[in-house]
């Protein structure tokens, strides 16, 4: 089932963030969303997730769908380990040993069972990515998941996402043109007030 966004408009305190925004996300495809800061990327994610309501327009194709999400903030339980954070939301088919194996592909093995508050920002980001994709999900939304990662780590995370998100609908916001090619994604450019260009 495709995700269809029709003429979405959202305003905050008189400022229009999205204006008559329309978009189709085809099922099983990967998309990269690029936009200057403040042009509505995070707002769009929140509207798709139902965390906010549009002033007008509609979103179809989300009913009954499960989302794996990386928010702009990591939103991890800091006193718990990456393993515990992942297991809180993991698909019931994911065992602890499976979660340890996947986390160890993204993090130094010794950090998998350390409290999150002792980890670097990049390690927290990778934990958030792992949690999103090991949760039961049909649609994956990631708001700047590569923030704070060096180039080598970025490529490792992209390869892991491509493997784990195969067959899912994926929307990733990024500031890097290189990510579009590395992900094999279709590019959506979001400009002021939600005007779009797609390639």
């Amino acid at each position: 089932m495709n995700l269809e966004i029709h003429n979405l408009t959202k305003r905050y305190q008189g400022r229009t963030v999205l204006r008559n925004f329309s978009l189709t996300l085809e099922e099983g495809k990967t998309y990269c969303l690029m936009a200057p800061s403040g042009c509505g990327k995070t707002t769009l994610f929140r509207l798709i997730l139902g965390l906010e309501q549009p002033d007008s327009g509609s979103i179809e194709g989300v009913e009954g769908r499960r989302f794996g999400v990386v928010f702009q903030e990591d939103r991890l339980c800091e006193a718990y380990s990456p393993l515990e954070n992942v297991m809180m939301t993991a698909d019931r088919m994911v065992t602890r040993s499976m979660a340890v194996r996947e986390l160890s592909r993204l993090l130094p093995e010794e950090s998998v069972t350390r409290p999150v508050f002792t980890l670097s920002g990049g390690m927290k980001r990778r934990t958030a990515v792992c949690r999103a994709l090991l949760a039961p999900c049909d649609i994956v939304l990631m708001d700047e998941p590569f923030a704070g990662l060096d180039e080598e780590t970025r490529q490792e995370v992209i390869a892991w996402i491509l493997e784990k998100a195969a067959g899912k609908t994926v929307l990733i916001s990024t500031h890097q043109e290189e990510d579009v090619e590395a992900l094999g994604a279709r590019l959506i450019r979001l400009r002021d007030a939600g005007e779009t260009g797609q390639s």
Side-chain angles (χ1 to χ4, degrees):
M1 182 189 303
N2 294 344
L3 193 155
E4 304 275 355
I5 299 170
H6 302 287
N7 300 317
L8 211 62
T9 294
K10 181 66 178 178
R11 302 180 186 89
Y12 292 106
Q13 299 177 338
R15 177 176 175 261
T16 301
V17 180
L18 294 171
R19 179 187 295 121
N20 295 328
F21 175 82
S22 295
L23 179 67
T24 297
L25 299 181
E26 295 181 25
E27 185 170 12
K29 302 295 185 183
T30 298
Y31 298 83
C32 280
L33 180 65
M34 297 189 70
S37 296
C39 284
K41 298 190 302 296
T42 297
T43 297
L44 176 61
F45 280 35
R46 292 180 62 82
L47 290 168
I48 292 172
L49 291 167
L51 299 175
E52 297 191 34
Q53 296 302 311
D55 293 301
S56 61
S58 64
I59 302 174
E60 299 174 3
V62 296
E63 299 81 5
R65 310 299 289 280
R66 302 167 301 175
F67 288 90
V69 185
V70 175
F71 291 95
Q72 200 167 48
E73 316 84 19
D74 297 313
R75 300 197 181 187
L76 300 171
C77 295
E78 295 270 329
Y80 293 88
S81 68
L83 176 59
E84 290 167 325
N85 271 272
V86 166
M87 292 306 297
M88 284 178 194
T89 61
D91 188 290
R92 62 184 180 182
M93 302 298 290
V94 175
T95 64
R96 286 179 67 88
S97 61
M98 290 168 61
V100 168
R101 184 172 67 246
E102 298 303 334
L103 279 164
S104 296
R105 294 175 60 186
L106 299 176
L107 300 170
E109 190 169 351
E110 55 85 23
S111 68
V112 169
T113 54
R114 281 170 44 193
V116 164
F117 71 81
T118 68
L119 305 183
S120 68
M123 290 180 184
K124 292 178 182 179
R125 205 70 187 138
R126 282 171 272 167
T127 299
V129 168
C130 190
R131 179 182 61 180
L133 279 172
L134 293 188
C137 59
D138 313 299
I139 300 173
V140 180
L141 302 180
M142 296 188 174
D143 197 352
E144 299 186 26
F146 312 123
L149 304 185
D150 62 49
E151 186 57 32
E152 181 179 354
T153 303
R154 188 187 201 92
Q155 294 306 316
E156 291 172 354
V157 173
I158 286 173
W160 189 85
I161 290 172
L162 286 172
E163 177 186 323
K164 297 302 173 184
K168 302 180 188 297
T169 304
V170 181
L171 179 61
I172 296 176
S173 71
T174 179
H175 291 292
Q176 302 293 328
E177 296 269 3
E178 296 84 359
D179 294 338
V180 182
E181 182 176 356
L183 287 158
R186 301 181 184 184
L187 173 61
I188 302 162
R189 292 190 184 275
L190 183 59
R191 303 182 180 91
D192 289 339
E195 297 176 4
T196 59
Q198 189 169 348
S199 59

